């Protein structure tokens, strides 16, 4: 059987499928180890002082039934509570997150992550699972009264903030960069820095309140019946860990909504109820009077100062860009406050002590509105585009006022120009109307043409007169 010479052979080439390899970034083990180390060091910072305190008071009569093992389990319960977990004893639950200790954990994790700077920035994120898993195991595996899953949000947020901080401040050749508009980055950075400035403002107000209420604070401290210097030191250190919580509460009071010292005791610029408060000396600094809502003007002034900073240091030629970055700064301030207020609330029992803390959402909204009002007004009124527009409006307004006050003067000035436009006279020689810089030859030519036109006009007039004389004779 012969082959057909016209037949064609088709060859199909199939390219090899690309191989997708999933690999952990270089240096991931170092970052995960940093997260584990941070969790272990944080746990030790809680357990060691607790055991030292137990050793100091173990000889007391009311501590006879407590053993070292009980103290060790209690210390682990405190570790879980510092991460936001509820400690349940019988039918009563407690929750108190010392924000100063949380900030210390973030700084400690950030410090340990410095060892991984020589690796890829992506490896820093591996500190999150290392810290989270270790922290939860220490709280749930050793603690006996802690609800461990309540500690999950902060156990994730602490290493997340530390890793993001380290990635953002890594050397330029290793840093991850994102293409975002300038007004977004400027607004976020400004809002973050302004949040710290607001914390300083709240701290100054807290210091003033403590100074004015020192006698009440001392009276509550005496009710605790501390019997030794160790007891007094423990009480002072425990309250220092909650200073950032008190600053968040103070900002809630300064922004208007206020905070609760019990489910039925709202303290705000317009409300100062008199009633029992928990036996915590720092609560003695609660304002005892209600000055009124004028205190919110301080936050508006803060927004004005922030707007001046944005205009002088971060301003651009675009009015919209400046307004956008001011609005984003206010949003960042409100978000930071909302997150910290969620962690600053306390649960010290049941009934009226089931919630103590700021009015979270309302305080964040008021803080945003007051700061944003100051920022946007300042930026809008001081921007060159707004200034030029305002000058145009003022000029147009002055012209209208002048027109209403002196309408006859405007008519007298404008009528001759419209009704009697300037026309060249026929008696003026053409040579005088010509520009001085024209050549002399062109002037002479124009003069000759003018003379010829006049002679032609004279001849035409003479011919017309002779015809009129001849007409009657005919």
């Amino acid at each position: 059987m012969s082959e057909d010479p016209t037949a064609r052979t088709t060859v199909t080439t199939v390219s090899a499928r690309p191989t997708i390899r999933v690999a952990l970034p270089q240096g991931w083990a170092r970052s995960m180890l940093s997260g584990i180390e941070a969790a272990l060091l944080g746990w030790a910072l809680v357990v060691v002082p607790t055991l030292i305190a137990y050793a100091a008071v173990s000889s007391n009569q009311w501590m006879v039934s407590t053993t070292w093992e009980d103290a060790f389990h209690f210390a682990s319960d405190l570790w879980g509570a510092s991460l936001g977990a509820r400690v349940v004893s019988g039918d009563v639950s407690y929750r108190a997150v010392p924000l100063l200790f949380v900030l210390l954990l973030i700084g400690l994790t950030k410090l340990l992550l410095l060892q991984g700077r020589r690796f890829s920035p992506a490896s820093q994120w591996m500190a999150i699972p290392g810290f989270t898993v270790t922290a939860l195991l220490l709280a749930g595996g050793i603690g006996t009264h802690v609800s461990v899953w309540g500690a999950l949000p902060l156990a994730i947020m602490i290493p997340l903030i530390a890793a993001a901080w380290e990635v953002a401040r890594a050397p330029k050749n290793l840093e991850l960069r994102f293409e975002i508009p300038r007004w977004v980055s400027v607004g976020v950075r400004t809002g973050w820095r302004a949040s710290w400035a607001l914390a300083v403002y709240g701290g100054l107000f807290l210091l003033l309140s403590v100074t004015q209420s020192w006698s009440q604070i001392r009276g509550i401290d005496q009710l605790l019946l501390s019997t030794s210097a160790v007891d007094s030191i423990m009480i002072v250190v425990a309250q220092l860990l909650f200073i950032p919580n008190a600053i968040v509460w103070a900002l809630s009071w300064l922004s208007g909504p206020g905070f609760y010292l019990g489910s039925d005791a709202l303290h705000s610029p317009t409300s100062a109820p008199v009633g029992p408060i928990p036996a915590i000396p720092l609560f003695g600094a609660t304002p005892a009077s209600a000055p009124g809502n004028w205190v919110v003007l301080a936050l508006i002034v803060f927004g004005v100062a922030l707007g001046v900073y944005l205009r002088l240091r971060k301003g651009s030629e675009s009015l919209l860009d400046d307004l956008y970055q001011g609005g984003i700064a206010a949003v960042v301030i409100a978000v930071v406050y909302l997150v910290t207020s969620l962690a600053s609330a306390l649960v010290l029992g049941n009934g009226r002590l089931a919630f103590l803390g700021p009015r979270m959402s309302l305080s964040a909204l008021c803080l945003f509105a007051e700061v944003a009002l100051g920022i946007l007004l300042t930026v809008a009124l001081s921007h060159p585009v707004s200034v030029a527009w305002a000058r145009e409006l003022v000029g147009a307004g002055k012209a209208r006022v002048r027109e209403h006050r002196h309408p006859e003067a405007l008519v007298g000035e404008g009528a001759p120009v419209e009704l009697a436009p300037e026309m060249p006279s026929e008696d003026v020689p053409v040579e005088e109307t010509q520009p001085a810089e024209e050549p002399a030859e062109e002037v002479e030519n124009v003069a000759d043409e003018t003379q010829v036109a006049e002679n032609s006009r004279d001849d035409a007039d003479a011919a017309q007169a002779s015809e009129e004389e001849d007409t009657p004779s005919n």
Side-chain angles (χ1 to χ4, degrees), residues 58-83:
S58 59
S59 59
N60 289 350
Q61 223 173 18
W62 51 277
M63 295 289 292
V64 173
S65 60
T66 305
T67 64
W68 282 96
E69 184 179 358
D70 295 334
F72 185 65
H73 289 304
F74 177 72
S76 296
D77 288 337
L78 288 181
W79 163 250
S82 66
L83 296 178

Side-chain angles (χ1 to χ4, degrees), residues 270-289:
T270 59
S271 173
V274 178
I277 61 175
I280 298 176
L282 191 58
F283 285 166
T286 303
S289 61

